[in-house]
Amino acid sequence: MSFILYNAPQSTCSQRVRFVLNAKRLPFEEKKLDLLAGDQLKPEYLALNPNGVVPTLDHDGNIVIDSSVIIEYLDEVAPGPETFTPDTPVARAKMRALMRFIDEMPAAAVRVPTFNLAFLPRFAAMGEDEFIAFAESKPLRKEFMLAMGRKGFPQKEMDQALARLRRSYERMDESIRDSGGPWLLGKDITLADVSVMPAIVRMADLNRESDWADLPRVVKWFELIRAQPAFKPTYYPGSLLTERFPHLQKGAA
Ligand SMILES: N[C@@H](CCC(=O)N[C@@H](CS)C(=O)NCC(=O)O)C(=O)O
């Protein structure tokens, strides 16, 4: 089996896929796209992924897009040595329901603080026409970019995103409690844990770890996922925003 992963080091959606590939010890060729330079909008990439986003997986010439779909696909084509999908249909349905919640809530909400805190200086430096042309060229994120503008999302939108993230931490806490933990759905790690991992890592990277400090089950879950052997190779140097954007480092003006 040969895998090519089109992705970006700091992309949360890409990090899901790298984690599963690493956990399964599947060798893959990594093609890194520069998202701020617009590599994902070039015709040759759009031919693979018409949404103009990463990640995209090429498995022996078969193109699979969307991180949630890709990680389910990988668990089907390479069920060992580590598997992330429960055995019974009921448990699988629970996992998929949680994955849909994660895509709709934390994975979407995390874009607002990410763009406002990390990427904004790059867009603020563009001329208005250049920014609008860049936004207009995005098949999936045009309206998101135009709503943000070169000045960033207003405080109200930041607060709403943080509230959606908070409800996500609470849902994680309930899920760990109800399943008996330590993972979201019980004693085994599943794709739901992998799906939410990058949003939590991102918020910690943005120095917001205190937002779930009162939820010890989530604190423990975070320690556990960081201790997985697949974690370190997934978050290789350059995967965190604080490594790439000096203005985010503590004490930066
Ligand atoms: N639902 C898609 C979303 C992919 C997505 O939003 N990717 C982001 C990086 S995490 C991206 O490529 N953004 C580029 C852009 O906004 O132009 C997935 O999970 O694969």
Side-chain angles (χ1 to χ4, degrees):
M1 288 203 278
S2 107
F3 294 101
I4 304 171
L5 178 65
Y6 296 81
N7 82 148
Q10 81 286 0
S11 139
T12 51
C13 318
S14 304
Q15 289 157 358
R16 291 173 170 175
V17 178
R18 295 208 299 269
F19 187 93
V20 171
L21 285 165
N22 287 322
K24 291 180 176 293
R25 290 185 229 122
L26 293 169
F28 59 102
E29 182 190 338
E30 196 182 352
K31 300 228 194 251
K32 292 183 186 172
L33 279 73
D34 182 341
L35 301 181
L36 290 176
D39 287 351
Q40 73 279 25
L41 306 167
K42 291 185 177 154
E44 58 272 27
Y45 184 74
L46 288 172
L48 297 175
N49 186 332
N51 292 334
V53 290
V54 289
T56 296
L57 184 74
D58 176 333
H59 173 208
D60 292 338
N62 297 304
I63 301 301
V64 188
I65 64 168
D66 196 284
S67 61
S68 295
V69 174
I70 296 172
I71 59 180
E72 284 212 50
Y73 175 83
L74 286 171
D75 226 12
E76 283 178 20
V77 296
E82 193 165 352
T83 179
F84 293 91
T85 305
D87 288 338
T88 68
V90 170
R92 282 202 290 273
K94 269 192 185 165
M95 178 188 83
R96 291 185 181 123
L98 204 47
M99 289 171 75
R100 301 294 177 276
F101 171 84
I102 290 162
D103 276 346
E104 191 162 332
M105 287 279 280
V110 86
R111 288 188 195 113
V112 174
T114 296
F115 276 69
N116 254 22
L117 300 175
F119 299 159
L120 203 58
R122 168 76 175 78
F123 299 129
M126 285 179 172
E128 184 67 8
D129 289 350
E130 188 192 352
F131 175 78
I132 291 187
F134 191 59
E136 299 254 349
S137 66
K138 291 185 179 241
L140 216 58
R141 296 284 145 68
K142 172 179 157 178
E143 287 76 12
F144 174 87
M145 291 289 286
L146 292 174
M148 178 185 67
R150 282 162 60 228
K151 294 203 174 68
F153 291 104
Q155 192 58 42
K156 188 171 159 235
E157 293 225 18
M158 272 290 269
D159 293 344
Q160 285 173 349
L162 293 175
R164 283 157 67 76
L165 284 156
R166 173 66 199 185
R167 297 209 298 285
S168 307
Y169 312 141
E170 288 167 359
R171 175 68 68 87
M172 288 175 72
D173 184 56
E174 286 157 20
S175 198
I176 299 166
R177 182 197 62 204
D178 295 348
S179 68
W183 297 107
L184 295 179
L185 293 169
K187 64 178 180 33
D188 297 317
I189 187 169
T190 69
L191 293 177
D193 297 284
V194 179
S195 293
V196 79
M197 171 194 72
I200 304 297
V201 173
R202 169 62 46 85
M203 293 310 286
D205 192 23
L206 292 174
N207 203 19
R208 305 282 315 195
E209 219 171 327
S210 57
D211 290 358
W212 60 85
D214 61 326
L215 303 171
R217 281 181 281 257
V218 178
V219 172
K220 197 106 193 284
W221 174 93
F222 192 33
E223 277 168 22
L224 200 57
I225 202 145
R226 277 184 301 188
Q228 295 302 296
F231 190 89
K232 210 166 160 212
T234 296
Y235 286 91
Y236 53 70
S239 302
L240 295 179
L241 295 181
T242 38
E243 294 168 326
R244 295 172 69 96
F245 299 98
H247 73 273
L248 289 176
Q249 278 150 24
K250 270 188 200 154

